[in-house]
Each structure stands twice: as C-alpha cells, then as structure tokens.
C-alpha cells in the first residue's frame, strides 16, 4: 500500500537535489510545501494534496491548526553511499519531524526542535540537523513536518558532512570571538563596579551578560550547554531577554545622558515598576508566539520613544547614544518583521545579527566608561578649586605666622643657649649615673656582676619562669680549700685565683641570657634561664673539669685548685620566694663538700632534711 502511495506521489512534478561525487553543499534547495490537516505521513500520502513548489517558504506562513509539510527530492547520482546533513537554519522551531522514504528500505523517522530535549535529538548539536544516508544511484524523498506557534521560517541547506563541519568551524570561531569579547566586557564592568561601586557599571554588567546569554540562546549554544532539559526557557527565553534588554536601556541612557528620559510628572516609580512587572508576567504566561510578539513590540516602542527623547537632547555624546539606539532598533525590528510576516528568512543564518549586538554593547560600555572618566575629571577639578581656595587661605595664615615666628625667634634663641648648657650638664650627669650604676652592680675585683644585681636578676627570671613555665637552673661554685691558698701564697695570690676562676666560668657561657655573679668570697653563682637540669649539670661539669686543669703562675710557683658545685633546677611556682633557689643550690653544694669536694651535686627533694 505504501509503495502504491509513493508511486502515485512520483507523478507530481518536482526538481530533485542531485548529490554527485563532488557535492559540497546546496544552499537554494528546491522543495514542495503544503498545509494539511493530516499529522501522519501515511494520511498525507493517502489523500490528494496540492503541493506548491518554491525555493523557500512564503513570508508570514502560519499553520493555523494545520500541519506544514515540506517535500524534497534527493537523487544520489554517485556510485557510493553518500551521507548528507539537512540543516534547518532556524533553531527556534518548536518541532521538526523528518521522514526519509527510500526504495526497498523502511522509512527513517527523525524528531528534532527546541520543544524536544537535547538528549532525544539525532545529533546533540546546537543547530537543527537531520543526518541521512543516500544509497548509490537511487532517488528518495525527504518529508519534513514543521510545527511552530508563530510564523514558520525554515531556510534549508543540504551539506556534505565534512563541508558542513568546515562551515560550522568558521562560524563557531567568529561566534566564539564575538562571544568572548562580550564576556570580557561583562567581566570588565563587574570589576569596575567592585572597584568604584557605581551603579551604571552594574547595569552595564547585567546588560552585556544578557546580550551574551541571548545570543547563546538564539544560536542554540545555550540549549546545548546550559539548559538542555529546560524546554520552557528555550521557548520563552527570547521574549524574556529581549524585553529585559530594552528595559535596561532606559537607566543606562539616563546615566549616560544625565537626563531623566521618558519621565512624566504623573508617573511615579511605583507605577513604572507595576507596568514592568505586568509586562514580564505577560511575556512568561502568554503562548509563545504572542509572548515573542509582545516582547518585540514593546521593545520597539521603547526604542522609538528613547530615540525621540535623545534627538531632542543637546549632549556632547548624543551621536553615540543615537548609534546605540539605532543598533537596538535593528536588533528588535528585524525579528519583529519576520514574526508579523513582512519578510521571511532566518536572521540567524549568519553572525551579522550578533555583530550588531556586539557593536551596541561596545558603544554602551564606551559611554559608561566615558561617563566615569567625566565624573572623575569633574571631581578632580572641584578638588583643585577647593585646593586653590585652601592655598589662598594658607598664604594669609603664613603671613600671620611669620610675624609670630619673628617674635618667637628671639625668645627661642635665648632659650636655646640655656637649653644647650642644660643638656650638656644633664648628659654629664647621666654618664656619672651610668658609671655609678655600673659600679653598684659590678664586683670591683672580678668585674662580674655582684650579689645585689644577682638578687634583682633572680627575681626577674623567677617571674619569667613562672609566666612561661620554663625551667630555671642555678649553679653555686665554691673553690675547694681556698683558705689554704691564702695561708700558703698570700691574699694577693688568693685574689688572683678568684679572678682567674671568674674568667674561666665566663668562658663557658654560650647564651646571652646566661650570666655569672660573685656571691661572696670564693663563691660564684651561674644563672641559666630556660635550661634543664641535665644541661645545667653538663655546664657545671665542664667548669669543674676546666678548673682542675687550670694552672696559675704566681711568681715561681704554680697554683692548682679544684671546685665544688651545687645545682638546682625547677619551674618556679612561687615567684615571691626566689631565695628558695639559692638555698637548695647551697644545700647541694654542701653535700658536694661533704662527699669529698671536686664534684657536682644536684639538689634532690629528699635532701630537704
């Protein structure tokens, strides 16, 4: 039955598209079209249908509850299987169903359109593409059923796959450059807004971002990459974003011109906001065809009114403002004329439409940046005027100050001479005080710090140990059998031995905060902040061994001696009783002498008794 129907349809005169070996593309595809009440191909072919032959669809073609059918004859004149791509150059069609009728083959059915999720398309691509394979030396028919709520525009092109890929690569390259430029403008404006906090940079950011998103939507990239499963926005996005761009032009031109455009005394801000909300609600609730028609019509009215207002302005950048409005007029009026049926053809067939968008956005960003520079220059000029006024006032004050300075100069001259004398006297007094302080805290014989300074230093280190919870170590050294040295060699020899012993202890100090003190007679104390008991014992042992090896020349005699040491290490718990350190170290020293001298003993808690 189907073969009979195809045989009957072959009598209808139709020029076939011939696919040869060297075929690349066919841009003016000859097709037949008809409006029918039949939704299926079998019903269409079973009834007599009046086909109209044309190279493109007529203008203003609306189905009006009928189905638009296109028929294309395909003839593969080559001797090999030829894959082809049928491109329907209108990404905004609601639904496209393709039927490929081939001899001795089942009918191939392919569904597409922006009402169909991207995952269900034959090719997950931004454009509406129908992939076909033509058998060698055969003739087949391609039937396309188009459905849309508005005027149907469907320029059709047939491509060899490689040629189509080359064409789309060039197209996508140009589109990518323009889209990248628009995105760079948006990023620049948002950066300027973050730096300056000027509202017109924020409006410019939203405007350029909407331009970028609208063109990604129109050319199919938005549906492919961002909202492939959101068919509602794919159908209503054009109307929403077109109306939003037109509404955003009003505050932008208000900032750039410095005038309140389209204002009226009877229109309050609340009424304007209410009208804008009603328009946006209408655009998203009406049927798609009426939604787009409403958005384009309101956008055109806004553009014409803004143009009339700008023409009446006397503004240095009026021509740039008019250029922005002219670009917007073209961008709105072209799809509107297609929608109302004045002209046909898809405005997305080339990137010229996006190029006008790019020009409009660039001009608008230029005006915004120029406005910021103008405001900055005015601010600088105002600051310079205030600075000049302030400088004039400063000049008057300087004259008054000169008189005061002259009077003060004589007084200061006499004061300076007396002050200098006083400073010299004070400096001499300070030197004497420092010398006296040094003498008060230094032992005159050994030149190390004396016991009075030790008491102050012990109090300070005890507080630090308590505050920082660090171990404070104290070592008391005593020269063994020192009385015998005095009795045998004399007191001068004893003094020399004490000095040599003090220098020996100082030579074993390694840290700036470690210090040796003469505690009295032949006793010396070594204070070691932040030092463990093991470290203190190691230092004491080194001093003991070095003392045993020390040989002092006294005339013709050689004097040797030994030393005993008591060590105490702990974290201070009571900073008001630092005397505990010296008492415990002295007990350890006493224990060393009891055990035979020439040794180092560490104080233990059980030594208390």
């Amino acid at each position: 039955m189907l073969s009979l129907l195809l045989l009957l349809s072959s009598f209808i005169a139709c020029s076939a598209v011939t696919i040869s070996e060297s075929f690349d593309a066919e841009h003016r595809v000859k097709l037949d079209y008809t409006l029918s009440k039949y939704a299926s191909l079998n019903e269409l072919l079973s009834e007599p249908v009046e086909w109209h032959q044309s190279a493109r669809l007529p203008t203003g073609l609306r189905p009006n509850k009928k189905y638009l059918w296109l028929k294309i004859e395909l003839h593969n004149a080559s001797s090999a299987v030829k894959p082809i791509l049928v491109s329907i150059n209108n990404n905004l069609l609601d639904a496209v169903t393709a039927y490929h009728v081939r001899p001795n083959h089942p009918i191939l059915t392919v569904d597409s359109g922006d009402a169909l999720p991207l995952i269900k398309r034959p090719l997950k691509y931004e454009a509406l593409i129908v992939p076909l394979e033509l058998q060698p030396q055969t003739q087949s028919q391609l039937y396309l059923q188009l459905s849309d709520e508005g005027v149907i525009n469907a320029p059709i092109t047939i491509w060899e796959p490689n040629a189509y890929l080359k064409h789309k690569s060039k197209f996508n390259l140009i589109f990518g450059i323009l889209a990248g430029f628009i995105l760079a403008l948006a990023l620049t404006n948002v950066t300027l807004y973050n730096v300056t906090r000027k509202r017109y940079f924020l409006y410019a950011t939203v405007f350029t971002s909407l331009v970028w998103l609208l063109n990604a939507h129109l050319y199919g990239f938005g549906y492919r990459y961002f909202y492939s499963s959101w068919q509602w926005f794919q159908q209503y996005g054009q109307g929403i974003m077109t109306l939003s761009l037109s509404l955003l032009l009003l505050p932008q031109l208000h900032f750039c011109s410095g005038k309140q455009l389209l204002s009226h005394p009877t229109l309050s801000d609340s009424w304007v906001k209410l009208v804008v909300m009603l328009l946006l609600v209408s655009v998203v609730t009406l049927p798609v065809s009426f939604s787009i028609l409403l958005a384009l019509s309101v956008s055109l009215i806004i553009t014409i009114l803004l143009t009339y207002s700008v023409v009446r302005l006397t503004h240095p950048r009026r021509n740039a403002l008019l250029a922005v409005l002219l670009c917007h007029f073209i961008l709105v009026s072209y799809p509107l004329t297609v929608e109302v049926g004045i002209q046909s053809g898809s405005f997305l067939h080339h990137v010229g439409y996006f190029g006008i968008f790019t020009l409009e956005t660039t001009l608008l960003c230029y005006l915004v940046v120029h406005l910021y520079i103008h405001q900055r220059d005015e601010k600088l000029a105002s600051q310079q005027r205030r600075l000049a006024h302030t400088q004039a006032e400063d000049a008057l004050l300087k004259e008054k100050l000169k008189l005061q300075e002259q009077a003060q100069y004589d007084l200061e001259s006499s004061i300076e001479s007396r002050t200098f004398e006083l400073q010299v006297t004070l400096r001499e007094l300070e030197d004497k005080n420092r010398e006296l302080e040094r003498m008060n805290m230094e032992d005159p014989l050994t030149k190390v710090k004396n016991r009075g300074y030790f008491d102050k230093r012990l109090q300070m280190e005890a507080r630090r140990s308590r505050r920082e919870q660090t171990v404070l170590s104290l070592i008391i050294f005593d020269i063994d059998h020192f009385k015998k040295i005095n009795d045998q060699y004399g007191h001068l020899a004893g003094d020399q031995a004490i000095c040599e012993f003090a220098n020996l202890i100082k030579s074993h100090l390694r840290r700036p905060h470690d210090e040796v003190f003469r505690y009295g007679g032949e006793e010396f104390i070594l204070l070691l902040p932040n030092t463990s008991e093991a470290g203190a014992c190691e230092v004491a042992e080194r001093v003991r061994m070095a003392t045993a090896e020390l040989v002092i020349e006294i005339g013709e005699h050689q004097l040797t001696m030994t030393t005993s040491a008591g060590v105490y290490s702990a974290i201070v718990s009571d900073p008001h009783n630092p005397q505990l350190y010296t008492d415990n170290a002295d007990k350890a020293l006493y224990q060393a002498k009891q055990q035979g001298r020439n040794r180092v003993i560490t104080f233990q808690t059980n030594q208390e008794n």
Side-chain angles (χ1 to χ4, degrees), residues 23-39:
F23 175 78
D24 283 334
E26 179 67 38
H27 297 281
R28 295 185 61 84
V29 177
K30 295 179 181 180
L31 52 86
D32 291 346
Y33 70 92
T34 185
L35 288 173
S36 175
K37 63 180 179 179
Y38 302 113

Side-chain angles (χ1 to χ4, degrees), residues 208-277:
T208 50
S209 300
L210 272 179
V211 167
W212 183 83
L213 184 59
L214 175 59
N215 281 275
H217 173 85
L218 294 176
Y219 288 94
F221 294 101
Y223 194 51
R224 179 181 179 184
Y225 295 107
F226 304 129
Y227 40 86
S228 58
S229 59
W230 194 10
Q231 290 80 36
W232 179 87
F233 189 75
Q234 173 65 12
Q235 293 184 306
Y236 282 92
Q238 180 185 2
I240 296 172
M241 288 185 281
T242 301
L243 181 59
S244 300
L245 285 175
S246 301
L247 293 174
L248 281 173
L249 267 183
L250 183 59
Q252 283 292 87
L253 297 183
H254 161 68
F255 284 121
C256 294
S257 64
K259 302 292 183 180
Q260 191 71 34
L261 302 177
L262 302 186
S263 61
H264 195 274
T266 60
L267 288 177
S268 62
D269 291 342
S270 58
W271 278 104
V272 172
K273 292 178 181 178
L274 179 61
V275 171
V276 171
M277 289 299 298

Side-chain angles (χ1 to χ4, degrees), residues 2 52 79 299 367 372:
L2 181 59
H52 305 280
S79 58
S299 299
L367 288 171
Y372 173 72

Side-chain angles (χ1 to χ4, degrees), residues 187-198 201 372:
L187 294 175
T188 301
N189 280 290
V190 73
T191 303
L192 291 173
Y193 171 72
N194 289 329
V195 173
T196 64
R197 292 298 172 182
K198 299 292 185 181
F201 283 126
Y372 173 72

Side-chain angles (χ1 to χ4, degrees), residues 285-504:
T285 54
L286 290 173
V288 177
S289 60
F290 294 105
S291 171
I292 296 176
L293 189 61
L294 175 62
L296 293 173
S297 301
V298 173
S299 299
L300 184 63
I301 293 172
I302 293 174
T303 306
I304 293 173
L305 292 177
L306 285 174
T307 304
Y308 174 74
S309 300
V310 172
V311 168
R312 299 177 60 188
L313 289 178
T314 55
H315 195 274
R317 289 175 297 281
R318 186 180 65 174
N319 292 336
L321 294 171
L322 290 175
V324 171
L325 289 170
L326 177 61
C327 291
H328 200 74
F329 178 81
I330 296 172
L331 296 172
V332 172
S333 61
Y334 188 86
L336 181 61
T337 56
V338 174
E339 192 68 26
V340 298
I342 297 176
Q343 63 175 342
S344 62
S346 174
F347 54 90
L348 301 177
H349 194 54
H350 48 75
V351 293
Y353 191 70
F354 192 17
I356 299 176
F357 262 120
T358 305
L359 178 60
E360 178 191 18
T361 309
T362 305
L363 288 172
L364 193 61
C365 293
Y366 160 76
L367 288 171
V368 170
V369 173
H370 197 281
L371 173 62
Y372 173 72
I373 294 174
H374 177 69
Q375 291 179 348
R376 184 197 62 184
D377 292 343
E378 284 188 346
K379 184 178 180 180
L380 289 175
S382 176
Q383 290 176 349
Q384 288 176 352
R385 288 192 295 268
R386 290 197 300 269
L387 180 61
H389 180 69
T390 304
Q391 288 176 346
E393 292 180 348
D394 290 344
L396 294 175
L397 290 175
K398 286 180 181 178
E399 291 296 329
K400 295 179 181 179
L401 291 174
K402 283 183 180 179
L403 297 176
Q404 294 179 356
E405 289 175 357
Q406 188 62 36
Q408 291 179 354
Y409 179 75
D410 298 332
L411 179 62
E412 290 176 355
S413 298
S414 60
I415 293 176
E416 283 181 359
S417 60
R418 295 180 180 273
T419 302
F420 178 74
E421 294 175 0
L422 180 61
Q423 289 176 347
V424 171
T425 303
L426 291 174
R427 191 177 295 112
E428 292 176 352
L429 183 60
E430 287 178 359
D431 294 340
K432 295 294 184 181
N433 287 335
R434 281 195 294 269
E435 180 65 23
L436 181 61
E437 183 179 358
R438 184 185 64 80
M439 293 174 63
N440 286 335
M441 68 179 184
E442 188 178 87
D443 179 57
L445 176 62
T446 61
K447 304 303 179 183
V448 299
K449 299 298 187 295
N450 58 23
R451 179 169 181 173
Y453 182 70
F454 165 74
D455 293 336
K456 295 178 182 179
R457 178 71 185 279
L458 179 61
Q459 182 73 35
M460 180 178 65
E461 294 299 338
R463 291 174 181 172
R464 179 184 298 176
S465 173
R466 166 71 173 176
R467 182 174 62 254
E468 299 178 359
Q469 290 296 296
T470 55
V471 177
L472 177 64
S473 295
L474 189 144
I475 307 173
I476 297 182
F477 292 99
D478 183 73
I479 300 175
D480 296 331
H481 303 296
F482 184 71
K483 185 175 182 303
K484 292 182 179 180
I485 296 175
N486 282 335
D487 294 342
Q488 184 175 355
Y489 298 101
H491 288 282
L492 292 178
D495 291 345
Q496 184 179 351
I498 289 174
C499 293
E500 292 289 343
F501 184 61
N503 292 332
L504 184 143

Side-chain angles (χ1 to χ4, degrees), residues 35-185:
L35 288 173
S36 175
K37 63 180 179 179
Y38 302 113
S40 68
L41 180 62
N42 289 334
E43 292 176 339
L44 179 72
L45 296 178
S46 63
E47 299 293 336
V49 175
E50 182 182 1
W51 292 92
H52 305 280
Q53 188 177 33
S54 176
R56 65 179 183 179
L57 295 177
T59 59
L61 185 60
R62 293 179 181 269
N64 294 326
K65 298 183 179 180
K66 292 186 177 182
Y67 299 95
L68 176 63
W69 287 88
L70 307 182
K71 182 173 68 173
I72 304 172
E73 291 285 340
L74 302 172
H75 178 221
N76 183 8
S78 65
S79 58
V81 176
K82 294 292 288 187
I84 63 171
L85 297 176
V86 179
S87 173
I88 304 166
N89 301 314
N90 186 357
N91 301 321
L92 304 178
L93 287 174
D94 290 347
V96 176
T97 303
Y99 301 92
H100 189 201
V101 181
R102 301 164 292 175
N104 302 320
H105 284 79
I107 297 176
L108 174 66
T109 304
V110 177
D111 293 322
S112 189
D114 66 356
L116 190 69
L118 186 68
I119 195 172
K120 295 184 179 180
R121 292 187 181 182
L123 290 178
K124 297 174 181 60
Y125 205 60
E126 63 269 8
L128 298 181
I129 300 295
V130 178
L132 301 176
E133 279 191 356
L134 303 182
Q135 297 301 317
Q137 302 294 330
T138 60
Q139 187 164 342
S140 59
Q141 292 80 33
L142 176 66
Y143 291 89
L144 298 174
Q145 185 192 75
L146 306 181
S147 176
D148 196 84
E149 293 189 15
V151 174
I152 294 183
N153 291 283
I156 295 177
T157 309
I158 299 177
W159 295 86
E160 191 273 332
N162 290 330
Y164 181 77
L165 289 177
K166 292 179 182 178
H167 166 74
K168 285 299 292 182
S169 297
K170 295 179 182 178
F171 180 90
N172 290 346
L173 176 61
I174 298 173
F175 182 88
I177 293 173
L178 296 178
F181 179 72
I182 294 292
L183 189 59
L185 289 178

